[in-house]
Each structure stands twice: as structure tokens, then as C-alpha cells.
């Protein structure tokens, strides 16, 4: 948890001002109707019975402070007061009649960290207790519709729940493996574990196609640079998640891979022609939609060939004409975080109305929850937001919730299970890539010393153990060096004396490495490093192929 001063700085804009008087009463309806099982929910009838305040709440998906729905410390209470004027997450649900809530975690080495100032995930048991408490609060609202509880469990550098779960490799590892059946099985395991924790919406997979110049904020979060490969991988990941009862969210529509900009900081410009967009960025999104993804996330991106000068999140041409009419998407469109710089161009209330009018159905992480809600209500009153647009959005949201209820929630015992390890290990083994070096037998013989760039001690220790289990002799110094580098590392972090250099993120840095053997795992997850150890020890081959170009190196030396 950040210091309170930082919490208040990163939280809601305008939080030091009194909340505006809402144009309409926001108290709960006089008497909630009797609660019915979600599977019996009639979205059309439920929406017809909702007040404007109920409707406005359903399209909001903020984050909250605290690791419990009902009991928080003073620091978390202060954070919740700053964005919502309440102490606890459960009170936030009740006050705003929320349709959803996102679980977040701050990590300094996470490219999305700036928009995630809170941390309310720790371990699976705590997350399950939190989500149970949130759903209890939601059941007390008019109509009793459950919450959409989402998180960014992409795996790799963007992973919210890191302990007690089966960690998948980053998306790029699946692109390197090139086996959609393995992808589907691994993401099915991930979906079961998320569902067991009470998370019913995963903001994944990343369907962006990386351009030849790469993109640091997307990087290994994407499957790679080939639209056809990405389409197959996106389809498989969606099928795995959705088959486990967790809604998949394709992001960042209409594609964040062909820009070097970072939409957390500014509005990136995508300069592809319309024909290039159709051939490069469109296919994975189309494939994911066809596979049944229930959510598409809009990107804060200026895709000039589609709607020049307008961020996609606020573009009717992109979010309605392209996504709805052209691609035929019928699910829920959710904005990227509204506390990112391009979305904070306007006050929270105006930004909310603009995003809804563009065709988004849900607003993620508004920086000022009261202002966003009041802006929606004011828009209905002054005609800048048609009530029909709002009821359309909420009908889609409730339809998604009804669909989710058809699958029973797994027990927590499913987490980190041998069956899930087996499914994920198969994908990890298929992803290991040799870009220089031998393709059979041990890559090095004799004693081994494992080194790593700063901040990678956990990965180093994991590989040491895995190499020992593979029968190799590992010593603290004096052995042939296996050097690990990862996310954010540069040429200075390479070891000139290493016999083997391994990149645990995008493989671009290997083009500057001088080692006789160069390998890529694309991930530092424990199962990825176990697969790496098997290849180094000569007990397994490395069938992976780099899904992005790496200087003059081949996609595989094998």
C-alpha cells in the first residue's frame, strides 16, 4: 500500500472539493424486489424496473482500497473516501449501485502500475473472501444482480494474483509455442482458478499485434507480430477462459501494437492505413469475437485511418460503426482505465458521457466516482446522453451476468493443482526458443553458475533449483555462466562472459548478446524456468520460434 499522501495524489481528481449535488436522488428504490437466482434474471425486465441512479451505477467499474469488503484500515478508508466518499468497498457498492469492481495491485515493475495505486489482492483465500463480501453487498441492491469482478491477470509482467496460483507464462510464450490447443488448455486452467477466487472477468487476452518497431508497454503481453498466429492464439485463450466460466476481455481495441506510445501517459498515434489496420490489427479481435469473448476493451489510441484525432474510447466511428456494425460484436464494451491521461482530458462526468455516447457500455476506474455518476445523471436530464443508450448498455451488462451464472463456481482446491501444472507446463516446454546454440544435448557441461541482472533473485534461485533437479552441478561461482535478463533490461545488463544468455521477456535484447548460446523463455514464471532447465541440461529440445524479429538472428536456431 502506498503512503497516504501518494494515495491521495494518485486517486480521484477533485477529491478536495465537495461532491456536486446530484440532479436526481440516488437512494435505493423504496423496496428491492425479491432476489432471484441470477440464471433466472430477465435483463430486459430488470432494466425496465431500474431508476436512473440504478442504471448509472451498473455502468461503473471502479477500483477500491482494502483487502476486505467490509473491514479496512485507516489508510484504505482514506483512499476510498478520496474516490467515493465511503470507507469500505462494500459501502462503495451500496452507495453507487455498482455494476462491477476491478481488483488491482500496485507493482513498480508493472507497465500498468501508474493506474493501479491500490493493492487489494494477496492470496487466493483472501481474494475469495473479498469477492464473496462484494457479492453479498451487491445482492442487497435493487434487483440483486451480481457484480462483474474483474482483474488484469494477463500473466507475465501484468499479473495481479501471484501466489498460490498456477502461473502461466506471458502471452508471447504462447506465440512462440504456436500450439493453440496448448494455449486453450492453459487458459482453461487459469479460468478455473480465477473463477474459484470469485473473479468472473479477466482483462485478457491482449489481442494487439506488435509492429516491427515493437512497443514497450505491450511487449510480451502480446502473442507476437504475426496477425494469423495472433488470431489463432487469441481464439484459443478466449475459448479456455470462457469455457471455464470467466469472461474474456479482448484489448486494446482497435490495436495498441503499431505505436511506440504509452496510453498511460499520453494519446498514442497509430499511423497505419485503413488497409494495413484491416490486415494487421483487426484479425485477432475478429477471431476473439468469433470465439465468444464477452468483453472488448477500448484503447485510448488515435488510430488515424479510423477516426483521426479522436481516442478510440471516445470515437463513435470506432466503438459503434467498426466494433458493433462491422465486426458484429454484441457483448459488453468496457473502456480502458478512465484515470489514464488521454481520458482525463475532460472532467470525469463529461468523460463518462462521451465514452458512453461513443458506444462503451461500462466505465473502468473513473478517477472521481461521484463526478462520473453525477455526470451520467446530468446527461440524461439535459439530453446529452439518451436514456435509451444507457438502458442498452445495462441490458448488455445484465445479459453477460446471466450468462456467467450458468457455470458453477469451482472450489479453491482447484488452484495450483497437478492437473493445472501439467497443462501449463506443456505450453512452457513448447515455448522455449534457442536463437543461437546447439539443438540437442546439453547446452553446457560441467559446473554451472547462474547470474542475473538486478532485481531477479527469485528467478535466479528458481533456475538454480530447477537445474539441480535436472542433474546439473550448480555452484555459486567459477562455473560456466547462465545469465538471466528480463523486462526493462538493457545492453548494460548483459554479461559478456556468459556461456548462455536467457531473456525472460521480449527477445529483442538477445540481438546484442555475445554468448555462444542464446535462449528465450519470454517469462520468468516457475514452470517456464523448469522448462528452460530441461533444455539446458539436454533433457528436452527447444521447439519454440520467436514470434517477433530479433535483429539478424533466426526465429530459431533449430
Amino acid at each position: 500500500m502506498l503512503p497516504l499522501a501518494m494515495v491521495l495524489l494518485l486517486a480521484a481528481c477533485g477529491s478536495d472539493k465537495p461532491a456536486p449535488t446530484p440532479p436526481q436522488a440516488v437512494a435505493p428504490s423504496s423496496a428491492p424486489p425479491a432476489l432471484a437466482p441470477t440464471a433466472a434474471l430477465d435483463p430486459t425486465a430488470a432494466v425496465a424496473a431500474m431508476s436512473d441512479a440504478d442504471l448509472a451505477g451498473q455502468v461503473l467499474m471502479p477500483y477500491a482500497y482494502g483487502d476486505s469488503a467490509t473491514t479496512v484500515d485507516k489508510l484504505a478508508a482514506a483512499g476510498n473516501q478520496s474516490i467515493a466518499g465511503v470507507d469500505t468497498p462494500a459501502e462503495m457498492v451500496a452507495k453507487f449501485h455498482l455494476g462491477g469492481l476491478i481488483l488491482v495491485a500496485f507493482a513498480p515493475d508493472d507497465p500498468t502500475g501508474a493506474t493501479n495505486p491500490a493493492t487489494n489482492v494477496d492470496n487466493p483465500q483472501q481474494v475469495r473472501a473479498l469477492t464473496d463480501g462484494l457479492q453479498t453487498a451487491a445482492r442487497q441492491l435493487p434487483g440483486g444482480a451480481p457484480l462483474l469482478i474483474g482483474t488484469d491477470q494477463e500473466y507475465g509482467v501484468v499479473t495481479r494474483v501471484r501466489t498460490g496460483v498456477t502461473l502461466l507464462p506471458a502471452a508471447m510464450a504462447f506465440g512462440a509455442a504456436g500450439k493453440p490447443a496448448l494455449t486453450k488448455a492453459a487458459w482453461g486452467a487459469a479460468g478455473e482458478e480465477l473463477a474459484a477466487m470469485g473473479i468472473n472477468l479477466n482483462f485478457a487476452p491482449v489481442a494487439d499485434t506488435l509492429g516491427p518497431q515493437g512497443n514497450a508497454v505491450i511487449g510480451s503481453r502480446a502473442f507476437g507480430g504475426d496477425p494469423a498466429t495472433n488470431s489463432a492464439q487469441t481464439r484459443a485463450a478466449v475459448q479456455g477462459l470462457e469455457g471455464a466460466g470467466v469472461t474474456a476481455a479482448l484489448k486494446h481495441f482497435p490495436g495498441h501494437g503499431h505505436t511506440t506510445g504509452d496510453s498511460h501517459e499520453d494519446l498514442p498515434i497509430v499511423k497505419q492505413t485503413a488497409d494495413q489496420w484491416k490486415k494487421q490489427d483487426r484479425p485477432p479481435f475478429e477471431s476473439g469475437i468469433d470465439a465468444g469473448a464477452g468483453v472488448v476493451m477500448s484503447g485510448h489510441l488515435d488510430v488515424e485511418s479510423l477516426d483521426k484525432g479522436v481516442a478510440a474510447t471516445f470515437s463513435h466511428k470506432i466503438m459503434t460503426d467498426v466494433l458493433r456494425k462491422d465486426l458484429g460484436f454484441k457483448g459488453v464494451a468496457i473502456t480502458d482505465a478512465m484515470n489514464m491521461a488521454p481520458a482525463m482530458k475532460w472532467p470525469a462526468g463529461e468523460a463518462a458521457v462521451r465514452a458512453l455516447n461513443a458506444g462503451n457500455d461500462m466505465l473502468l476506474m473513473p478517477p472521481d466516482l461521484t463526478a462520473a455518476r453525477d455526470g451520467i445523471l446530468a446527461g440524461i436530464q439535459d439530453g446529452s446522453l439518451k436514456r435509451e443508450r444507457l438502458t442498452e448498455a445495462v441490458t448488455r451488462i445484465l445479459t453477460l451476468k446471466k450468462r456467467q451464472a450458468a457455470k458453477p463456481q469451482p472450489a479453491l482446491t482447484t488452484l495450483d493443482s497437478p492437473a493445472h501444472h501439467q497443462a501449463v507446463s506443456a505450453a512452457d516446454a513448447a515455448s522455449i526458443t534457442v536463437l543461437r546454440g546447439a539443438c540437442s544435448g546439453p547446452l553446457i557441461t560441467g559446473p554451472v553458475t547462474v547470474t542475473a541482472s538486478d532485481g531477479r533473485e527469485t528467478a535466479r534461485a528458481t533456475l538454480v533449483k530447477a537445474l539441480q533437479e535436472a542433474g546439473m552441478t550448480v555452484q555459486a561461482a567459477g562455473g560456466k555462466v547462465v545469465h538471466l535478463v528480463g523486462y526493462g533490461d538493457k545492453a548494460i545488463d548483459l554479461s559478456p562472459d556468459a556461456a548462455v544468455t536467457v531473456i525472460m521477456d521480449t527477445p529483442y535484447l538477445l540481438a546484442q548478446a555475445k554468448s555462444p548460446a542464446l535462449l528465450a523463455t519470454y517469462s520468468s514464471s516457475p514452470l517456464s524456468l523448469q522448462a528452460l532447465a530441461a533444455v539446458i541440461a539436454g533433457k528436452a529440445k527447444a521447439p519454440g520460434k520467436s514470434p517477433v524479429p530479433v535483429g539478424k538472428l533466426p526465429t530459431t536456431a533449430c
Side-chain angles (χ1 to χ4, degrees):
M1 188 72 71
L2 296 181
L4 180 57
M6 185 69 74
V7 166
L8 297 179
L9 176 65
L10 291 175
C13 62
S15 59
D16 57 340
K17 300 177 182 179
T21 302
Q24 164 174 331
V26 295
S29 305
S30 56
L35 301 183
T38 308
L41 178 69
D42 181 340
T44 302
V47 167
M50 286 184 173
S51 68
D52 288 354
D54 296 331
L55 293 171
Q58 280 294 308
V59 303
L60 298 172
M61 180 178 273
Y63 66 92
Y65 291 87
D67 58 8
S68 165
T70 56
T71 304
V72 300
D73 60 25
K74 291 181 179 180
L75 190 61
N80 289 328
Q81 284 287 342
S82 71
I83 58 174
V86 298
D87 287 342
T88 71
E91 290 171 347
M92 193 182 297
V93 172
K95 177 179 178 179
F96 291 92
H97 301 185
L98 294 180
L101 193 135
I102 181 171
L103 306 186
V104 296
F106 175 79
D109 59 348
D110 183 332
T112 68
T115 56
N116 289 269
T119 295
N120 46 27
V121 297
D122 182 19
N123 61 72
Q125 292 72 25
Q126 171 266 322
V127 173
R128 174 65 178 266
L130 171 60
T131 58
D132 284 349
L134 293 169
Q135 295 294 9
T136 296
R139 285 195 293 270
Q140 309 310 311
L141 298 177
L147 285 174
L148 289 176
I149 300 180
T151 199
D152 291 293
Q153 193 80 347
E154 296 177 14
Y155 301 96
V157 293
V158 179
T159 304
R160 299 293 177 245
V161 188
R162 295 174 179 266
T163 61
V165 297
T166 307
L167 290 173
L168 275 60
M172 190 169 282
F174 292 103
K179 296 184 178 297
L182 298 182
T183 304
K184 181 179 178 180
W187 280 93
E192 288 181 7
E193 298 197 359
L194 288 166
M197 290 184 284
I199 296 168
N200 52 31
L201 167 60
N202 192 18
F203 289 108
V206 172
D208 302 326
T209 296
L210 291 175
Q213 79 277 26
N215 181 290
V217 73
I218 301 300
S220 61
R221 300 165 64 193
F223 292 112
D226 178 67
T229 298
N230 290 0
S231 296
Q233 291 296 325
T234 298
R235 174 183 293 275
V238 167
Q239 290 173 335
L241 282 170
E242 294 277 354
V246 172
T247 295
L250 307 173
K251 62 186 188 185
H252 308 78
F253 187 77
H256 204 314
H258 282 84
T259 172
T260 56
D262 181 350
S263 56
H264 294 84
E265 301 171 356
D266 204 348
L267 180 63
I269 296 174
V270 182
K271 292 187 173 294
Q272 292 165 295
T273 65
D275 186 60
Q276 287 173 328
W277 177 81
K278 287 180 181 178
K279 291 178 180 178
Q280 296 168 352
D281 281 9
R282 171 181 167 139
F285 288 99
E286 186 171 27
S287 179
I289 289 169
D290 290 344
V295 165
V296 169
M297 175 186 280
S298 62
H300 303 321
L301 306 159
D302 178 5
V303 184
E304 292 188 330
S305 63
L306 299 182
D307 195 1
K308 186 174 182 178
V310 182
T313 298
F314 304 100
S315 168
H316 189 274
K317 289 181 180 179
I318 293 174
M319 295 308 298
T320 298
D321 294 345
V322 176
L323 181 62
R324 300 290 185 189
K325 297 176 182 178
D326 185 14
L327 290 176
F329 179 61
K330 300 184 185 304
V332 175
I334 298 181
T335 70
D336 204 343
M338 296 292 282
N339 62 355
M340 291 165 64
M344 294 182 67
K345 176 181 177 181
W346 306 279
E350 182 180 351
V353 170
R354 286 176 176 268
L356 289 166
N357 279 332
N360 293 281
D361 302 309
M362 213 163 194
L363 311 174
L364 183 66
M365 302 171 74
D368 185 327
L369 197 51
T370 299
R373 188 272 317 275
D374 291 351
I376 294 169
L377 295 177
I380 294 174
Q381 286 199 343
D382 66 21
S384 60
L385 174 64
K386 300 299 183 185
R387 196 175 193 274
E388 292 77 11
R389 169 77 271 270
L390 193 58
T391 58
E392 175 187 55
V394 177
T395 301
R396 288 178 181 145
I397 292 167
L398 294 183
T399 299
L400 176 60
K401 292 178 179 182
K402 177 180 174 66
R403 188 180 85 176
Q404 287 179 336
K407 204 132 182 119
Q409 185 175 16
L412 279 173
T413 52
T414 189
L415 272 74
D416 217 12
S417 65
H420 288 176
H421 282 209
Q422 183 177 3
V424 175
S425 292
D428 281 310
S431 73
I432 307 301
T433 307
V434 173
L435 289 94
R436 181 190 296 155
C439 294
S440 61
L443 290 179
I444 48 178
T445 56
V448 174
T449 296
V450 180
T451 62
S453 59
D454 287 345
R456 310 204 185 279
E457 178 56 28
T458 299
R460 193 198 70 80
T462 300
L463 181 59
V464 166
K465 181 179 178 183
L467 287 170
Q468 290 171 333
E469 291 174 347
M472 300 195 76
T473 300
V474 183
Q475 55 193 46
K480 293 180 180 177
V481 173
V482 175
H483 186 67
L484 302 175
V485 288
Y487 173 73
D489 283 343
K490 298 177 172 55
I492 195 172
D493 298 299
L494 296 169
S495 172
D497 300 323
V500 178
T501 296
V502 179
I503 184 76
M504 302 180 293
D505 192 60
T506 53
Y508 305 118
L509 188 57
L510 291 181
Q512 302 177 61
K514 306 302 182 184
S515 301
L518 304 176
L519 285 85
T521 64
Y522 315 94
S523 178
S524 60
S525 69
L527 295 178
S528 288
L529 295 176
Q530 288 178 22
L532 169 67
V535 171
I536 293 174
K539 295 182 178 296
K541 293 187 177 181
K545 296 181 179 180
S546 176
V548 292
V550 185
K552 295 182 179 180
L553 292 170
T555 58
T556 175
C558 302

